[in-house]
Amino acid sequence: MKLNFLVTTVALLVAFPPPYECRAIEGSSNQPATDPDGERQSPPVLARLGEEYFIRLGNRNQNYLRSPADSFPETSQYSKRALQLQLTQRLLEGKVGNIGRLDGNYALRALDSVERERRSEEPPISLDLTFHLLREVLEMARAEQMAQQAHSNRKMMEIFGK
Amino acid sequence: MSGTSRAQLCFLLLSVTALRGHARFLDIQQDNEISPEGLLSLLSSELKRELPEEFVYRRALRCLDMVAVEGQFTFTAERPQLNCAVFFIGEPSDIISVEYDSVNIDCRGGDFIKVFDGWVMKGEKFPSTQDHPLPLYKRYSDYCDTGVTRPIVRSSQNVAMLFFRLHQSGSSFTVTFRKLINPFPCNVVSQTPEGSFTMIIPQQHRNCSFSIIYPVEIQIGELNLGQHNDLKRSILGCAGSGDFVELLGGNGMDTSKMYPMADLCYSFNGPAQMKVGCDNTVVRMVSSGKFINRVSFQYRLLGHQELQQMKGNSIEDVCLRA
């Protein structure tokens, strides 16, 4: 009797194994070549918007990129928070901006299958942003979130109030 | 069948069902009635969260933007916009879902819309390549390649980004941003400079980081690393340990390029605090997978005076620590 029970248990456990979560496999071999290709010294696309804000596409060329503090010595004037916020808002409205010259590698070209493969091997797109500016937009997003939460709370109160 | 054998069989079946660990719940609508859709949702593997049209939040997207609220966002190019990026952020226990609703761009003309699984700034990624389950090229999802067949892209953590370039004025696209629940958040960017969090890694061989993009004081309340308290191991340092927590500080997003401020490889109760005067402060847990590891901590923003004091006290500027 007990043997029967044991056999049934084993059979059922084999048929319905407890689910384990797949473990993330870590390994340096998985990492693709993220280092910039030495031959492709493509100058980055620069967009100066307000203070210390670049967008860069393509390789990270250390020699080309200067630190924001060096590039814009006038940033010391912008230490006041109100002015910084104003700049941020103007920046977000897109009123300030001089787009630098386009990198040749990213020129307009037809997207055939060869190009698609090459796109996946291209260096990752990145954004040059200071932490200061990132915090500014984060605070604006949080303010929007709280306003939206207040609005939906008000709506719910109206619905329940009826 | 005898009584005992029936009881044994019932117990066995109960145990096997419990082991499967699936859970379902019903959303009960008006009048406490269970709708047919509710019943059907028990059978589907994914519970849909659809809001009625009038409650969906909508607004226009900016070229540089951060979005923390669910809704529908539309970008219309009034002039060529060649370098735009939108950050998405949710609560620590959320993952991001970005769905393309309508896209009017010229892929062949060089336009693109890409979703990145994480945040990337100045070439540095969060989560770092070591801490993310996917290789780098898989973390970029290009609308022009896969957007039509796969219109929904999901992140692995509470942050994601959208990069886009539109050459022609009049081009536009609309995306719906949703937050989905993540029961065991691993990599997190904090939305606030103050708060608290408990990170749990349940027997998984992975590394998890909690990033605070402010200079903060961290107070670790409780650390539970597995079941063994190996004091001998702690004397030698955390280098050989498979399970430990490290406090990192740096001025970039990539945790692998940050400076270790402290590391802890034995369990303890009671607060241990540290001030980290860096732009980015990270609590990172390394887990071997043998144990269930847990760390609870609080953090608060360092004031300007505190930072000045730390600057005055410190000889070297590896960010600042106290």
Side-chain angles (χ1 to χ4, degrees):
Chain A
M1 180 54 223
K2 280 193 177 166
L3 183 65
N4 279 343
F5 174 69
L6 208 61
V7 168
T8 325
T9 317
V10 169
L12 281 170
L13 278 172
V14 164
F16 301 104
Y20 281 114
E21 267 200 272
C22 295
R23 293 178 178 184
I25 295 172
E26 235 189 308
S28 54
S29 56
N30 283 348
Q31 293 174 16
T34 53
D35 293 322
D37 188 353
E39 294 166 26
R40 290 164 61 187
Q41 296 282 318
S42 47
V45 179
L46 293 178
R48 178 188 169 181
L49 298 173
E51 56 156 325
E52 301 173 307
Y53 168 39
F54 306 85
I55 286 203
R56 174 173 51 76
L57 285 170
N59 285 322
R60 181 128 198 256
N61 190 335
Q62 295 278 7
N63 297 329
Y64 195 98
L65 275 176
R66 299 152 293 171
S67 74
D70 298 336
S71 315
F72 305 105
E74 67 269 21
T75 54
S76 55
Q77 321 169 23
Y78 299 144
S79 56
K80 292 188 179 165
R81 187 177 164 77
L83 192 53
Q84 285 166 350
L85 199 54
Q86 194 185 14
L87 273 171
T88 312
Q89 284 175 342
R90 213 185 302 158
L91 174 162
L92 293 171
E93 287 159 22
K95 285 184 182 149
V96 184
N98 289 318
I99 311 244
R101 58 189 172 83
L102 208 60
D103 173 23
N105 284 342
Y106 280 90
L108 302 178
R109 54 190 177 195
L111 286 173
D112 53 51
S113 59
V114 175
E115 293 303 331
R116 270 179 228 268
E117 277 174 25
R118 213 181 287 174
R119 272 157 79 86
S120 65
E121 291 161 9
E122 276 169 0
I125 291 172
S126 178
L127 173 72
D128 275 355
L129 202 67
T130 59
F131 271 102
H132 172 74
L133 209 50
L134 184 67
R135 287 168 199 149
E136 293 278 350
V137 288
L138 177 60
E139 279 155 31
M140 286 168 66
R142 285 212 12 97
E144 181 189 20
Q145 187 188 31
M146 288 197 279
Q148 177 58 18
Q149 185 67 49
H151 175 76
S152 63
N153 286 347
R154 211 177 313 128
K155 274 219 149 166
M156 272 202 286
M157 292 301 287
E158 281 172 22
I159 292 169
F160 291 135
K162 285 179 189 170
Chain B
M1 232 189 202
S2 71
T4 41
S5 63
R6 203 184 304 153
Q8 282 170 348
L9 194 61
C10 287
F11 176 72
L12 171 69
L13 282 171
L14 192 68
S15 316
V16 167
T17 326
L19 278 172
R20 295 187 69 87
H22 292 300
R24 292 277 186 268
F25 65 88
L26 279 179
D27 225 346
I28 295 184
Q29 305 293 335
Q30 310 122 326
D31 307 324
N32 273 334
E33 279 173 9
I34 298 171
S35 61
E37 290 80 24
L39 280 172
L40 277 174
S41 73
L42 281 176
L43 302 170
S44 68
S45 58
E46 218 173 70
L47 295 166
K48 288 187 182 171
R49 292 168 65 224
E50 295 288 342
L51 281 173
E53 274 298 305
E54 58 269 22
F55 291 120
V56 174
Y57 177 73
R58 289 187 175 87
R59 73 154 165 89
L61 213 55
R62 293 178 282 251
C63 182
L64 173 65
D65 212 337
M66 168 106 52
V67 172
V69 59
E70 286 187 325
Q72 208 173 48
F73 300 88
T74 304
F75 183 83
T76 311
E78 287 163 16
R79 60 181 193 286
Q81 295 279 11
L82 303 183
N83 308 292
C84 295
V86 175
F87 294 84
F88 294 109
I89 186 166
E91 300 300 318
S93 58
D94 288 339
I95 56 168
I96 310 289
S97 156
V98 177
E99 183 179 358
Y100 299 109
D101 292 328
S102 67
V103 177
N104 174 24
I105 66 171
D106 183 12
C107 287
R108 289 184 173 274
D111 290 356
F112 63 76
I113 307 173
K114 291 184 201 242
V115 177
F116 179 70
D117 187 359
W119 275 5
V120 54
M121 242 169 60
K122 295 182 190 170
E124 294 191 15
K125 305 161 284 297
F126 180 87
S128 69
T129 330
Q130 296 163 351
D131 295 352
H132 200 277
L134 300 174
L136 183 63
Y137 71 95
K138 276 196 173 171
R139 291 168 69 176
Y140 284 95
S141 165
D142 195 337
Y143 171 79
C144 292
D145 290 341
T146 54
V148 179
T149 49
R150 203 165 61 93
I152 303 180
V153 181
R154 287 211 179 95
S155 71
S156 313
Q157 60 287 312
N158 78 322
V159 290
M161 275 186 86
L162 198 73
F163 291 99
F164 55 96
R165 169 186 280 184
L166 305 177
H167 287 89
Q168 291 168 11
S169 67
S171 304
S172 68
F173 64 89
T174 302
V175 291
T176 297
F177 165 67
R178 283 194 191 92
K179 301 185 228 179
L180 309 172
I181 296 290
N182 181 9
F184 287 110
C186 181
N187 294 300
V188 176
V189 175
S190 175
Q191 283 186 314
T192 51
E194 297 180 353
S196 61
F197 189 70
T198 297
M199 187 188 289
I200 302 173
I201 304 185
Q203 283 189 310
Q204 289 176 345
H205 177 45
R206 67 191 304 193
N207 310 322
C208 297
S209 302
F210 187 94
S211 169
I212 308 155
I213 53 167
Y214 292 90
V216 291
E217 180 187 44
I218 298 246
Q219 196 180 66
I220 297 184
E222 188 200 340
L223 176 58
N224 227 305
L225 290 170
Q227 296 155 359
H228 308 297
N229 260 327
D230 197 345
L231 282 175
K232 188 179 173 192
R233 192 177 60 183
S234 71
I235 291 164
L236 296 171
C238 290
S241 175
D243 299 82
F244 61 93
V245 164
E246 55 184 0
L247 224 57
L248 305 168
N251 297 323
M253 294 296 303
D254 195 331
T255 52
S256 63
K257 293 176 182 163
M258 292 170 74
Y259 307 107
M261 298 282 164
D263 51 359
L264 307 157
C265 42
Y266 55 92
S267 304
F268 69 89
N269 270 319
Q273 54 214 40
M274 185 160 195
K275 293 181 185 178
V276 180
C278 299
D279 277 333
N280 191 8
T281 310
V282 170
V283 178
R284 184 166 179 263
M285 184 187 273
V286 173
S287 183
S288 64
K290 292 177 197 157
F291 311 113
I292 300 173
N293 295 324
R294 187 176 76 236
V295 61
S296 297
F297 55 91
Q298 294 178 315
Y299 49 99
R300 64 163 188 90
L301 183 66
L302 287 176
H304 187 69
Q305 273 188 334
E306 282 178 289
L307 282 169
Q308 290 298 325
Q309 204 175 23
M310 285 166 72
K311 228 179 200 172
N313 290 344
S314 137
I315 302 164
E316 48 163 351
D317 185 13
V318 180
C319 297
L320 299 161
R321 54 181 144 176

